[in-house]
Amino acid sequence: QVRLVESGGGLVQAGDSLRLSCAASGRTFSDSKMAWFRQPPGKEREFVAAIAWTSTPSYADPVKGRFTISRDNAKNMVYLQMNSLKSEDTAVYYCAASTGWATRAVRDYEYWGQGTQVTVSS
């Protein structure tokens, strides 16, 4: 059974940092595209960052320069380092995996975690 489990969310103040982790199990994802999405309150799920199996990252404009995605294929882990957090970063953050070609669309990812809440107070 394939599972993605996020951890590391919490309540922080604006300007603080958080590091989210995603533990994958059930299969190896070393050749998969891994991504982070988020869903702010009352809004649709949106792309945050992705990292290809080559470790090439891509970022949504609102987080570029503040967030860093990384992966450890040996441990089947993906991380999202979030710095200079803003109130608008408040959302449930989801880890996702795609075994095929993936853009920034939710529909391109087959596997999803349950999400972890990040709340940034201003």
Side-chain angles (χ1 to χ4, degrees), residues 54-78:
T54 56
S55 293
T56 303
S58 61
Y59 299 96
D61 285 345
V63 307
K64 201 172 291 185
R66 298 188 297 122
F67 290 11
T68 302
I69 188 171
S70 61
R71 66 192 297 165
D72 184 336
N73 288 335
K75 295 182 179 179
N76 240 12
M77 295 287 294
V78 182

Side-chain angles (χ1 to χ4, degrees), residues 16-101:
D16 285 351
S17 298
L18 271 179
R19 187 194 195 207
L20 304 183
S21 299
C22 172
S25 61
R27 60 158 284 166
T28 180
F29 286 96
S30 59
D31 58 350
S32 301
K33 191 168 191 176
M34 305 297 294
W36 288 94
F37 287 75
R38 67 186 181 186
Q39 188 161 13
K43 297 184 179 180
E44 293 186 352
R45 197 168 298 189
E46 62 186 25
F47 172 82
V48 175
I51 185 164
W53 66 273
T54 56
S55 293
T56 303
S58 61
Y59 299 96
D61 285 345
V63 307
K64 201 172 291 185
R66 298 188 297 122
F67 290 11
T68 302
I69 188 171
S70 61
R71 66 192 297 165
D72 184 336
N73 288 335
K75 295 182 179 179
N76 240 12
M77 295 287 294
V78 182
Y79 306 98
L80 185 68
Q81 178 66 43
M82 306 186 294
N83 298 329
S84 302
L85 283 162
K86 305 176 181 180
S87 57
E88 51 262 46
D89 295 319
T90 294
V92 177
Y93 283 72
Y94 296 91
C95 177
S98 171
T99 59
W101 177 258

